[in-house]
Amino acid sequence: IEKGEFGKTMSYEDKTEFGQLSKSFNSMSDALKISYDNIIRQQQEIEESERKFRTLSEFSQDWEYWISEDSKIVFMSPSCERITGYSQNDFIGNPRLFLDIIHPEDQALYIKHLELFNSAELSELEYRIITKKGEIKWLSHICNPIWINNQFRGRRVSNRDITDRKRLKEQLVQSQKMESLGLFAGGIAHDMNNILTVIDGYSHLMKIALGNENEKLKNYIQQIFDVSKRAQELTSSLLAFSRKKIAKP
C-alpha cells in the first residue's frame, strides 16, 4: 500500500484479534482501491475536459477572455495575438493595454462601457482598435456576466474582428450614394436637354427671320448655338455617368 499498490489483501484468517485486524485491513485496502480508482477516473475526466477546452480556445477565431470580479485576467485565448498583434503575456503583464489599444475616438465609449462591469446585464458594442502594427480594426464586443452559485465571478468577453464586414458596408453605402447621384444627374441632364432644345429652336427661328440682314445679330445668334452645343456635350456626359458608361473628360 505504501508503494501505491492499493487493493492488496491479507490471507490471514482466524477468530482471534489478529484475524479481525486482518479483515479490517482488507476492507480498508479495498476501500482505498475504489477511492483511488475514482480519483484517477476523475483526474482523467478533468484532463480530458481541459484538453478539449484548450483545443477549443487555441483554435477559436474570436478573441475570448475572462475578467474576474476583482478585474484580474483569469483566462485569455491565444487569438488575441492574431487580432491585435499583442500576446497573452502582453495583456496579463499590462492590464491597461485593453484601454491603450482602443482608438482615441472610441475610448469614451469603452470607458462608459466599463462602468457596467458589475451589472447583471449583457453588454454589446462595436469599437475600433489600433493593432501593434498600427492597423485600425473594428471589433464586435460582447461582454457577458458570469454567475456561479449566485455569486458574481466577473465577465466573459468575446471580441470578433468585423473589419471586413465594416468595409463592405461602407462600400455598399458608397455604391448606393453613387447610384442616387447617377439618377440625379440623369434627371438634370434630361431637363437641361429640354431647355437647350427650346433655346436652339428659337435661335434657329431668329436666324431665319433675320435672313441676310444685321450680320451683328446673326453673329450673336451663332454664339448662342456654340454655347448650346457645349452645354449639350455636358448633358451627354451626365447621361453617360448616370448610365455608368465611360465618357471622355
Side-chain angles (χ1 to χ4, degrees), residues 7 110 138:
Y110 187 77
W138 276 95

Side-chain angles (χ1 to χ4, degrees), residues 54-71:
R54 185 169 57 252
T55 302
L56 180 64
S57 66
E58 288 178 354
F59 287 90
S60 172
Q61 291 297 307
D62 295 341
W63 170 21
E64 313 273 355
Y65 56 90
W66 176 4
I67 301 294
S68 67
E69 67 275 15
D70 54 355
S71 300

Side-chain angles (χ1 to χ4, degrees), residues 17-112:
E17 292 181 357
F18 291 103
Q20 291 296 322
L21 181 62
S22 174
K23 185 178 180 180
S24 298
F25 174 83
N26 290 342
S27 297
M28 179 195 71
S29 182
D30 289 338
L32 284 174
K33 173 65 175 176
I34 294 172
S35 177
Y36 176 75
D37 290 345
N38 288 337
I39 291 173
I40 293 298
R41 185 175 65 256
Q42 290 174 1
Q43 185 176 356
Q44 290 174 343
E45 290 174 354
I46 291 173
E47 289 176 353
E48 177 64 14
S49 178
E50 289 179 347
R51 185 187 65 80
K52 290 179 180 178
F53 177 76
R54 185 169 57 252
T55 302
L56 180 64
S57 66
E58 288 178 354
F59 287 90
S60 172
Q61 291 297 307
D62 295 341
W63 170 21
E64 313 273 355
Y65 56 90
W66 176 4
I67 301 294
S68 67
E69 67 275 15
D70 54 355
S71 300
K72 292 182 179 179
I73 299 173
V74 178
F75 168 76
M76 172 78 62
S77 68
S79 51
C80 64
E81 189 166 2
R82 179 183 58 80
I83 294 176
T84 69
Y86 295 96
S87 67
Q88 295 165 299
N89 292 333
D90 291 331
F91 284 100
I92 294 172
N94 179 18
R96 184 179 168 79
L97 186 58
F98 286 105
L99 181 60
D100 290 342
I101 66 173
I102 305 293
H103 193 283
E105 295 178 4
D106 296 337
Q107 284 194 356
L109 174 68
Y110 187 77
I111 291 173
K112 186 177 181 180

Side-chain angles (χ1 to χ4, degrees), residues 98-99 109-118 141 155:
F98 286 105
L99 181 60
L109 174 68
Y110 187 77
I111 291 173
K112 186 177 181 180
H113 162 69
L114 292 178
E115 296 174 359
L116 301 174
F117 183 80
N118 293 317
H141 179 90
R155 282 185 171 265

